[in-house]
Amino acid sequence: MTKFVFVTGGVVSSLGKGVAAASLAAILESRGLKVTLIKMDPYLNVDPGTMSPFQHGEVFVTDDGAETDLDLGHYERFISTRMRKANNFTSGQIYKSVLEKERHGDYLGKTVQVIPHVTNEIQVYIKKGAGLDTPDAVDVAIVEIGGTVGDIESQPFLEAVRQMSLRLGPDQTAFVHLTYVPWIPSAGELKTKPTQHTVQKLREIGIQPDALLCRADRYIPDEERDKISLFTNVVTSGVISVPDADTIYKVPRILHEQGLDDLICKKLHLNCQPANLQRWDALVYEVEHPKDEIKVAMVGKYVDLSDSYKSLNEALRHAGIHNHAKVNISYIDSETICADNVNQLGRYDAILVPGGFGIRGVEGKIATARYAREHRIPYLGICLGMQVATIEYARNMAGLQNANSTEFNPDTPEPVIALITEWRDREGNLQQRTAQSDMGGTMRLGAQSSDVQPGTLAHQIYGDVVTERHRHRYEANVNYLDQLRAAGLVISALTQQEHLTEIVELPQTVHPWFMGVQFHPEFKSTPWNGHPLFNSFIHAALEHKTQQDKN
Ligand code: GLN
C-alpha cells in the first residue's frame, strides 16, 4: 500500500522545497524503500513548456517527453526512480481534464465545482503519479505542492490532499511544511512569527503538519525550536533546522541527523532498515576537496537567472567532481559578444553555448563558436549551441556566407538549420508542423536513440548508440550535410529513420574537443558518475588548462 508525504511551503518561495523533498526521498530510498516524487504546480499553463526561462527557470524534460518543472531535475538527481509525465501536473492540466469530462457529459447533469470535482481530479492525478494499482507502485510517494500556503491558486491542491489524508487514514499520510525563520540583524534575533502564521494558515484548512523544516541562514537554537513547537502544535523533534548549505548534497545528511526520516517512518508505520548516507558523505567530501580548478564560459541568453540552466550547472559540477576539479562557471550574455571583443573568451578553459530560443544574442553565439573553433578551446554546443556551431561552420568554412536558421531568418537563402514539417514522434506516429503550429508540446521531445559513427569523439564517449532527451523545433537541414562534410565537419550521429543530425564535431586532428549536440545531455547527469559527455568535456578543459600553463 503506497503511503504519501505531502510537502507544503510557507512564508516565501525559493526556499528549496524541491531539494528538501528530494532529500527526504533520498534518505527513504537509502532505507530500502521504493520512492517517487510528484510535483503539483498551481499555475494555469498546461505545462511550463510555453513559459520563458526568465519566468520559471529551466524546463526539465523527461524520457517520455514531458516538459516539466525544474524540481523534477532535482528528483532525478537525488533518487533512482525515473520521472515520467505523470510526476508533474498543473492546475491547467486538472481544469483541462475536468472541462473535457464536463463537455463529454461525464458528470451526469451535476453542477461541476472545485469541491468535489476539481479536488477529486487532483487526487486521481496524485495516484497516477504514484503508479497506484500498477506494477510501478511505490512504497512512499512524496508529493510537493508548488507555491506557498495562503496563495489563492494553491487552495484546491491543499484541500485535495487534506481530503486524501482523511480518506486514507492517519498512518497512510504525513505532512511536512517548509517554512522560513528570518534573522533580523538589527535585533540580533531569529524571528519565529512568520512560521507561526503560516502554520496557522495551514491548520485553518485542516492540515496539521507532522514536521516543520525551518529554513534559516543558520542553525536554529533549541529555545526557538521549542517556541515554534508550542505555537504550531508540532512536537519539538519535528521542528527541524535547515540552515543554508553551500552544496545541496549536504541536505539529506542535515535532515537525517535531526531524525526527519525516523519521524516519517514512525508516522507511516514503515518498518525499514536504518538510513545509509555513506555515498552522500563521499559526494560532499569530493565537492569540498577538489584537486584542480577550471573556468568555463557559458555564453547564453538567460544569464541573469541561474535557475534557467539548473541541470546544466549541475551536470558541469558533476563532471567536475568526477574529474576532481572545481568548475567555476562564468555566465556571459551573448548579446554583449561581437567580433571585436570575443577574444575575452581566451582566458577560459572551455566554452559552452547552451540551448535557447529566439534571435536575440544569436550572432554573439555564432562569434563564440567561431572563436572556440579557431583558438582550439574545448567547445560544447547544446541544442541551439549545436545549431550556431553549424551555422558558423557553414558560413566560414563551407562558403555558405548567408547560412542561417529559419528560426532567425525565415527567408535565408541558405537554411542550414530549418523547421522540419514532418517527423515521427517517439511512438512512431507521423507528426506535422508549420511555423503557425501551436507552441505548447509540439517540439521534438523526450528520449530518442541514434547510431554513432565509429572512430569519432562521440563514439569514444557514447559507444555505438546515443539515447538522450530532446526539446527543439529546428533541425540541421539534410540538404546541406554533404557540403558541410566536404568542408571538414564530422556528422557523428544521425537518427535512424529521418537522418536528423544528432551530433556534429571536428576531427581531433584539427581541434582537441569541439562538439555540438542536438539533444540535452544535462538532463541525464547525476552526481554519482557524472555524465560521459560532460566528463569528457571537463577533462578536455583540464588538458587545455595544463597546455596553456606550459606555454
Ligand atoms: N531554438 C532551437 C530550436 O527550437 C533550439 C532549441 C533549444 O536549444 N532547446 O530548435
Side-chain angles (χ1 to χ4, degrees), residues 354-358 382-385 387 407-408 443 471-475 518 520:
F357 295 84
I382 292 181
C383 209
L384 181 59
Q387 299 177 355
E407 181 178 5
F408 314 129
M443 288 190 249
R471 181 172 184 256
H472 60 102
R473 253 183 210 96
Y474 295 81
E475 307 276 354
Q518 187 57 83
H520 288 273

Side-chain angles (χ1 to χ4, degrees), residues 206-226:
I207 294 173
Q208 167 64 50
D210 298 293
L212 296 176
L213 305 182
C214 302
R215 290 281 293 108
D217 66 350
R218 62 200 67 208
Y219 268 103
I220 298 169
D222 287 347
E223 208 180 312
E224 270 76 21
R225 289 181 49 229
D226 283 339

